[in-house]
Amino acid sequence: MNSYDVIIVGAGSVGVPTALALGEKGVSTLVVDKKPSPGQGENKHAIGGIRATHSDPAKIITCLRSLESFSTWAERFGDQIEWVKGGYTFPVYRDADAVLLKGMLPTQKEYGLNIDFVGPKTIQTIIPGVNPEGLIGGTFSPDDGSASPLLAISAFYRKSLELGVQFRFKEQIREIRVKNGRVQGVATDSVNYEAPVVVDAAGAYSTDLCQTVDVNIPVVPESHEAGITEPVEPFFTSMVVDIRPMPGSKNYYFYQNQLGQVIFCLTPEPPIVGTDTRETSVFLPQISARMVELIPRLRNLRVRRVWRGLYPMSADGSPLVGWNREVSGLLHAAGMCGQGFMLGPGLGEVIARMIRQETTEKDQIVLEAFSPYREFAVEEALK
Amino acid sequence: MPYRDTSQECTGCLNCVAICPGLATTLVDYRKNKDLPTVTLPYELWRESVEVGQPVPVTDKDGAILGHFPVQKIRVKKKYPKTLLVQIQMNKKFAKKAVGIRVLEPQIEPSTIYEKEPLPDEAVICRCERVTAGEIRTALRNGVRDMNHLKAITRSGMGSCGSKTCRPMIWRIFQEEGIDPGQVTDRVDRPLFVEVPLGYFAGIKEGERHE
């Protein structure tokens, strides 16, 4: 039988948790992906940070729910996903950054985020060896954390299978099938799958997918590079985000995972637009200089591997989630702007409630902010 | 390093044959007999098994036997006493192809030195991350067909070596499990291939303090 209630395109950071949320509600669901196994697109390029430290209430709400899911996964289902509740730290060296971060605190606290601006002494305790020169302080949100994207998606996948969700891998979707303005399903080169609802969770490839039904999704892929070191004795647990701009880069961030490896990533400036994910020779000199300047003792830590992944960017740094107004039954869950891993579980539940028409008041806040038909006027401060 | 003085004619002193640690030099001497030159081949192992008058199989660079030729003379240079210089006379057609002698008959076949039994479950396949054959087998039996997925859930191939050792062994387990190789997706390799300190990329020289 090739007939389902819902077809999700993309077995990645958003598609798999959405499938899981639908499976939990007993909705018959099929996930189709062109890759050979779950999480082989951009999910595995994520470094694993999970924060509710955003400026936008919709992201705070969504990620608080994600954090609950990640942090309790091992005790609920037994899979180890390397969850570490290490918090997020934004060390501050410039007055302007202090003003920016302090300005967000009231909204962040209003929506339930545990966060405060702390002094330089506290920052030095959280990040041992941090450069003290000019350190003003910074924000610390202790309930944020990190997990392994590789293990997390495998765990979500395993649980989804258990709940009866079906997956088809190595299948490239040729088009979304539409009749009289209503979604009928999807077509691959060899087979048609039927469903009244199609969820676009194709990440960086959403634009291509939606163009098959003449829908233009304003998502432009950019790429960021990341790297990982050898494992060493754990000496800090927080994600460290340095938001100072430097020639060639905006912010960069890193943390030490449960195994003791330091994982790091940098936002290039100007952005590198496109879907090329080959490693570059400029990334390591750039980020190493910045990391070693911030924490001099990192200079002896050896880099093991680097990679580059895509950030499907929207105009304002927030995702596009909502029903399409022209094609009935097409549900967008795209343009995660590099935050698919942390938004995934929370968003998956919202999407499942949309499909079941059970959305809550909080969901409405999220869906209004993430609407594909919004104005794209205000830019997310911590994208 | 010894070098050949090209301003002088070769005197046939044989030092070049004796000195090469890779036994890669042979000397073909046409001076006494143009059609049946004397070929000098270096030899170091099982020295006692080479005797004057004994016919020995002479091989080319691929190990193929050019023919059996009686040993004419065995010489040893005082300065390089461990290398026997085995001299034979060969037809000029083959003389330049000779690179060695085969003293022992082949005793092992490649097929006999590879294990035929499946690796035991407790055998460590990925040495960097200490992943066993059993763990890999379990994943394959649960349906894993993508080496990248296998890496994600077992960490096999995620260590410092970048899967230089475990990749072929994992392929072997796929085969032992009867899985069609056409169904298997190979792993994605990424740099770096050796681990390098962050300080090196940051431009800090060895021993320099950065405070």
Side-chain angles (χ1 to χ4, degrees):
Chain A
M1 286 305 290
N2 285 338
S3 192
Y4 303 86
D5 292 338
V6 179
I7 293 170
I8 299 172
V9 183
S13 299
V14 175
V16 178
T18 301
L20 174 65
L22 287 165
E24 278 170 344
K25 290 180 180 295
V27 179
S28 99
T29 305
L30 171 75
V31 185
V32 186
D33 199 296
K34 62 182 175 184
K35 299 281 187 179
S37 62
Q40 294 304 315
E42 299 316 315
N43 173 272
K44 68 175 181 181
H45 298 145
I47 71 166
I50 306 153
R51 63 174 156 111
T53 304
H54 300 277
S55 64
D56 173 5
K59 280 194 190 172
I60 299 173
I61 292 168
T62 310
C63 288
L64 281 174
R65 179 61 202 121
S66 290
L67 279 162
E68 208 176 311
S69 177
F70 282 114
S71 62
T72 57
W73 187 272
E75 63 196 65
R76 282 185 295 144
F77 303 115
D79 317 89
Q80 294 306 317
I81 59 168
E82 290 174 14
W83 161 255
V84 179
K85 185 182 148 180
Y88 261 64
T89 309
F90 288 64
V92 170
Y93 291 88
R94 307 186 312 167
D95 292 331
D97 293 339
V99 172
L100 172 78
L101 294 173
K102 281 178 179 168
M104 297 174 195
L105 293 177
T107 308
Q108 291 172 331
K109 287 182 178 177
E110 186 192 332
Y111 286 93
L113 176 63
N114 180 12
I115 187 167
D116 256 314
F117 197 92
V118 295
K121 284 276 175 292
T122 310
I123 296 290
Q124 283 174 284
T125 320
I126 299 165
I127 317 167
V130 70
N131 195 337
E133 204 179 317
L135 181 65
I136 297 170
T139 58
F140 180 54
S141 48
D143 297 340
D144 289 337
S146 60
S148 158
L150 307 168
L151 291 177
I153 200 160
S154 293
F156 300 162
Y157 169 66
R158 187 193 64 75
K159 188 68 193 165
S160 304
L161 285 174
E162 225 174 87
L163 293 168
V165 174
Q166 298 209 19
F167 287 82
R168 298 278 183 279
F169 292 108
K170 290 188 183 175
E171 290 194 17
Q172 172 86 51
I173 290 180
R174 201 181 63 229
E175 59 174 3
I176 300 170
R177 288 169 49 245
V178 176
K179 198 174 165 189
N180 299 329
R182 299 196 67 86
V183 160
Q184 308 294 305
V186 297
T188 71
D189 282 335
S190 55
V191 63
N192 285 351
Y193 296 112
E194 317 276 339
V197 173
V198 169
V199 179
D200 155 30
Y205 299 95
S206 285
T207 317
D208 299 345
L209 177 74
C210 293
Q211 265 164 9
T212 67
V213 284
D214 295 324
V215 168
N216 183 35
I217 273 288
V219 170
V220 178
E222 290 177 9
S223 60
H224 293 207
E225 247 168 308
I228 188 164
T229 69
E230 62 185 326
V232 290
E233 189 72 26
F235 67 105
F236 68 108
T237 53
S238 175
M239 178 76 78
V240 178
V241 186
D242 184 352
I243 59 173
R244 289 173 291 176
M246 288 280 274
S249 61
K250 284 167 113 174
N251 55 27
Y252 67 99
Y253 36 96
F254 57 93
Y255 73 104
Q256 193 173 19
N257 70 10
Q258 208 182 60
L259 306 170
Q261 297 176 282
V262 174
I263 312 183
F264 48 91
C265 186
L266 172 132
T267 308
E269 176 67 21
I272 304 168
V273 177
T275 53
D276 190 343
T277 53
R278 289 173 298 177
E279 300 78 10
T280 71
S281 58
V282 294
F283 165 66
L284 274 175
Q286 231 171 15
I287 195 163
S288 301
R290 297 199 67 177
M291 285 171 70
V292 169
E293 194 268 329
L294 188 73
I295 308 181
R297 68 196 291 197
L298 289 177
R299 69 184 182 278
N300 297 319
L301 199 53
R302 292 182 300 176
V303 182
R304 175 170 289 181
R305 216 91 68 212
V306 296
W307 64 92
R308 185 144 71 109
L310 301 180
Y311 274 49
M313 296 304 292
S314 67
D316 60 1
S318 281
L320 305 168
V321 181
W323 293 105
N324 190 282
R325 289 177 188 168
E326 280 80 45
V327 180
S328 171
L330 173 59
L331 208 169
H332 298 293
M336 294 297 139
C337 305
Q339 295 167 349
F341 176 61
M342 63 175 90
L343 289 164
L347 216 46
E349 292 176 8
V350 176
I351 294 166
R353 287 193 291 270
M354 288 172 80
I355 291 169
R356 290 286 297 259
Q357 297 179 315
E358 297 167 351
T359 48
T360 64
E361 241 172 75
K362 263 192 183 176
D363 292 345
Q364 290 312 319
I365 301 175
V366 172
L367 293 172
E368 211 169 292
F370 293 170
S371 166
Y373 300 98
R374 66 181 180 269
E375 282 292 324
F376 296 100
V378 187
E379 195 158 316
E380 156 77 34
L382 297 180
K383 69 174 183 182
Chain B
M1 279 294 285
Y3 64 95
R4 194 174 141 233
D5 182 356
T6 49
S7 67
Q8 288 176 26
E9 289 243 315
C10 172
T11 61
C13 73
L14 298 177
N15 277 343
C16 62
V17 181
I19 199 171
C20 176
L23 309 185
T25 310
T26 62
L27 191 126
V28 185
D29 188 344
Y30 299 90
R31 287 175 301 184
K32 280 184 188 159
N33 189 334
K34 273 187 182 159
D35 298 322
L36 215 57
T38 301
V39 179
T40 307
L41 302 163
Y43 183 74
E44 289 179 349
L45 301 168
W46 292 289
R47 299 151 57 101
E48 64 285 355
S49 54
V50 185
E51 286 169 19
V52 174
Q54 165 199 10
V56 289
V58 175
T59 65
D60 68 7
K61 66 179 166 53
D62 298 320
I65 292 170
L66 296 167
H68 289 67
F69 300 89
V71 175
Q72 300 285 328
K73 206 170 179 182
I74 298 171
R75 300 176 57 180
V76 178
K77 302 294 278 190
K78 260 189 199 154
K79 218 172 157 188
Y80 314 106
K82 288 180 180 166
T83 306
L84 297 186
L85 303 172
V86 179
Q87 295 188 313
I88 51 171
Q89 273 188 306
M90 283 179 83
N91 188 302
K92 64 176 179 184
K93 277 188 196 162
F94 307 113
K96 282 188 173 176
K97 289 183 179 167
V99 300
I101 57 172
R102 179 182 284 170
V103 172
L104 293 179
E105 284 308 308
Q107 291 179 340
I108 47 173
E109 279 293 319
S111 62
T112 63
I113 60 171
Y114 294 118
E115 293 168 52
K116 285 184 175 136
E117 291 299 308
L119 300 157
D121 274 348
E122 62 274 18
V124 172
I125 299 297
C126 169
R127 292 198 282 189
C128 298
E129 297 290 339
R130 300 195 185 140
V131 184
T132 64
E135 289 170 281
I136 290 167
R137 221 165 257 143
T138 303
L140 304 198
R141 287 175 189 173
N142 284 332
V144 173
R145 294 294 178 270
D146 177 2
M147 295 261 252
N148 301 292
H149 191 205
L150 183 69
K151 176 179 157 189
I153 56 180
T154 66
R155 289 190 70 80
S156 57
M158 219 182 260
S160 55
C161 90
S163 198
K164 292 185 188 84
T165 308
C166 64
R167 189 211 306 248
M169 295 172 83
I170 293 170
W171 273 110
R172 180 182 159 177
I173 298 175
F174 270 108
Q175 285 190 332
E176 284 170 0
E177 291 293 306
I179 297 162
D180 170 15
Q183 278 188 10
V184 181
T185 303
D186 202 359
R187 49 172 277 127
V188 177
D189 286 320
R190 299 183 193 284
L192 310 172
F193 303 106
V194 290
E195 293 178 339
V196 181
L198 278 165
Y200 179 83
F201 293 111
I204 299 166
K205 292 195 184 74
E206 190 115 3
E208 193 178 318
R209 299 288 296 174
H210 183 281
E211 298 299 346

